[in-house]
Amino acid sequence: MSGNRSAGGVPWTLCPGCRTVQLGTRLRRGLWVCPDCGRHLQITAAQRLDALLDPDSVELVDSPLTDTDPLGFSDTEPYPRRRERARHSTGICEAMVLATGTIRGRPLVAAVADFRFLGGSMGVAVGDLLVRAAEIALTRRVPLLMVTASGGARMQEGALSLMQMARTAQALTRLDAAGILTVSLVTDPTFGGVAASYATLADVILAEPGARLGFAGPRVIEQVLGQPLPAGFQTAEALHTQGHLDLVCPRGEQRAILARLLALTAPETPAERTGPNDAGIVTDPDALHPEDPWRSVRRARDIMRPTTADYAARVFTDFLELHGDRLAKDCPAIIGGPARLAGRTVMLIGTQKGHTAAELSSRQFGMASPAGYRKAARLMRLAAKLGVPVVTLVDTPGAHAGIEAEAHGQALAIADNLRVLAELPVPVVAVITGEGGSGGALALAVADRVLMLAHAVYSVISPEGCAAILWNNAAEAPRAAAALRAGARDLLRLGVVDGVIPEPGEGVQTDHGAAAELVRTALIATLAELDDLSPGQRRRHRFRRFETFGGSSPPGPDNTGMEWGQ
């Protein structure tokens, strides 16, 4: 905090953002967020623990520290003396504090940086503390929360401080292998070796408004470029747009968001099981009425058909949308995150269109960019780590086509999704809810079970595209629709889909509530069918499912040429 003083015994603080004077008691009630400009002031590790963890649940972890001075470093004063001054002024032993506790009753381990201690810099002792926190999380099998605030590696410890980047990365790798959730809460500032190691390796990355995050600090970049940086550079808001963060989370909302994350990854309540006979899924093509192919296409495109967001609100509970591909952007045409389905956690991922012209435009008409497919792949891998099923909802004309998409590797992003889905050890269920267009749809539909709604379509190309190419006339789209056999009845007969979910009335667009109940029942039943398979069996069955679309008989159990883990 900046400018702490007192007048007449009442402490007050000068906000570094708007330069207004704020009463300390008022700031404390608002979790040290300026009520005038919203600036999130720096707070201590102890204040952070009080703000996030349940009262009376915090237990500090007393880890022995080994003081090092490998270089005999001295600038204006010897390093050991500088470190002792930091201890005296802050009342803590190092730039990180470890604690165990709960958030709304859910246990976790917290590793909280304190910027007051030598700028939160990471030396050997901080590396030891982060590794120790990971070890406790692994032993207790509880999530690890890392709150960052650092200028980077501790220069006074030379190359040994650099090695802490690798040590902390390895510690998180062990948690990945064990399926332990890791969460990073980025606060201002987080730079250098901390930003390039554990801060950005977490499963979920949250950041406070205005928090700066980057490898090179702004002063260094300005010196290299010889010019000022743009406004908002390296801030949480900019990084969220660029796909590097899941959420920008104000301090007053952090406990609630963390509680939801912990609840979604905690041991589950028994899932509601609906037997296959109650699923309402049609598996016999002859039980479906023949439909005019072009009419099916037009129904599938109806602007009022439920979107993934609609199903997320009606079929699932507590959907927590996560953002970003961790590389370039957050594609709005694909949404995803953990949710509850009848008492069990699933990873919901789906293409998102909209019901208005403005939303359709902002969502790119459900046509995902490479960033969207990379975001989906990231969430699929997180589902595999946590051992939760993946549910995908597909309604897209196809992948986004354009100069930017091609420049950023659209083909590679789709191909990578196909490979990720083929290898996932958890159950995967895909539902074609509207249009299933080409590889852009298949990138979310390599699944153990592929279902489709009765008036949905699924094809290698749009009827208009097919007509333009083969008949040189887009007006021949109805003729192309009939030739492509993209409707539910034909696709079920071909084995491309495993079952068809009936639609209410004239279609799901007429009754979102009834549509949601039909989809919900089908998903519960289908996931129940897949529960008894081991990861190896799931992958083996998935492989054989798609092998049936080859020109010869699918390989038998002993001649696939592939080895699958159990």
Side-chain angles (χ1 to χ4, degrees), residues 30-34 38-44 47-49 51-52 112-113 145-149 184-190 205-213 232 234-240 245-255 258:
L31 298 177
W32 299 276
V33 176
C34 177
R39 175 74 172 256
H40 284 54
L41 280 64
Q42 284 185 352
I43 59 177
T44 69
Q47 290 168 330
R48 182 74 61 180
L49 290 169
L52 292 178
V112 182
L145 169 64
M146 301 165 289
V147 183
T148 66
S184 176
L185 174 56
V186 176
T187 74
D188 187 59
T190 298
I205 304 177
L206 313 177
E208 289 192 332
R212 292 166 296 162
L213 170 70
Q234 293 181 314
T235 62
E237 292 76 9
L239 294 169
H240 183 264
L245 307 174
D246 284 290
L247 295 168
V248 178
C249 192
R251 198 169 286 168
E253 299 174 13
Q254 289 167 10
R255 181 183 287 193
L258 289 169

Side-chain angles (χ1 to χ4, degrees), residues 168 230 310 369:
T168 56
D310 294 324
S369 67

Side-chain angles (χ1 to χ4, degrees), residues 68 79 83 94-96 111 113-115 117-131 146 148-172 190-201 215:
T68 59
Y79 171 46
R83 185 170 53 205
E94 254 299 340
M96 179 175 283
D114 196 317
F115 194 78
F117 195 105
L118 299 182
S121 56
M122 179 168 65
V124 172
V126 170
D128 286 343
L129 288 166
L130 195 285
V131 170
M146 301 165 289
T148 66
S150 177
R154 189 167 297 177
M155 294 178 290
Q156 293 91 338
E157 296 184 20
L160 289 185
S161 65
L162 184 66
M163 295 303 106
Q164 306 315 307
M165 295 171 63
R167 288 187 68 211
T168 56
Q170 288 179 169
L172 295 195
T190 298
F191 285 116
V194 170
S197 58
Y198 69 88
T200 51
L201 289 177
F215 182 55

Side-chain angles (χ1 to χ4, degrees), residues 85-154:
R85 276 203 306 110
R87 287 175 176 166
H88 178 74
S89 64
T90 63
I92 55 178
C93 294
E94 254 299 340
M96 179 175 283
V97 173
L98 304 189
T100 61
T102 61
I103 296 180
R104 295 189 180 174
R106 304 285 185 180
L108 79 161
V109 179
V112 182
D114 196 317
F115 194 78
R116 299 173 304 155
F117 195 105
L118 299 182
S121 56
M122 179 168 65
V124 172
V126 170
D128 286 343
L129 288 166
L130 195 285
V131 170
R132 174 63 178 145
E135 289 172 347
I136 297 171
L138 182 60
T139 300
R140 299 189 181 186
R141 299 199 64 80
V142 298
L144 172 63
L145 169 64
M146 301 165 289
V147 183
T148 66
S150 177
R154 189 167 297 177

Side-chain angles (χ1 to χ4, degrees), residues 310-434:
D310 294 324
Y311 286 118
R314 291 176 176 269
V315 175
F316 304 87
T317 57
D318 204 26
F319 171 59
L320 179 59
E321 185 178 356
L322 302 179
H323 295 266
D325 68 342
R326 295 287 195 269
L327 183 63
K329 69 184 287 190
D330 179 48
C331 174
I334 288 182
I335 63 174
R340 287 279 188 179
L341 175 65
R344 73 188 302 172
T345 297
V346 301
M347 187 65 71
L348 173 63
I349 304 168
T351 51
Q352 177 68 17
K353 286 184 177 178
H355 298 303
T356 66
E359 187 180 4
L360 285 165
S361 178
S362 69
R363 298 284 184 178
Q364 300 170 177
F365 295 85
M367 296 184 291
S369 67
Y373 293 114
R374 285 192 292 263
K375 174 169 63 174
R378 178 174 77 86
L379 296 177
M380 293 168 192
R381 292 186 176 102
L382 178 55
K385 170 181 171 175
L386 299 176
V388 300
V390 172
V391 173
T392 65
L393 305 180
V394 180
D395 182 12
T396 178
H400 185 71
I403 295 173
E404 183 182 0
E406 293 301 318
H408 290 150
Q410 184 70 289
L412 177 59
I414 291 171
D416 187 54
N417 272 32
L418 303 182
R419 178 166 55 187
V420 170
L421 282 167
E423 281 288 301
L424 281 184
V426 296
V428 183
V429 180
V431 183
I432 312 299
T433 62

Side-chain angles (χ1 to χ4, degrees), residues 272-281 520-530:
E272 179 182 327
R273 300 291 177 92
T274 303
N277 293 333
D278 300 325
I281 299 172
R520 181 177 184 274
T521 301
L523 286 174
I524 294 170
T526 304
L527 286 172
E529 290 179 4
L530 299 171

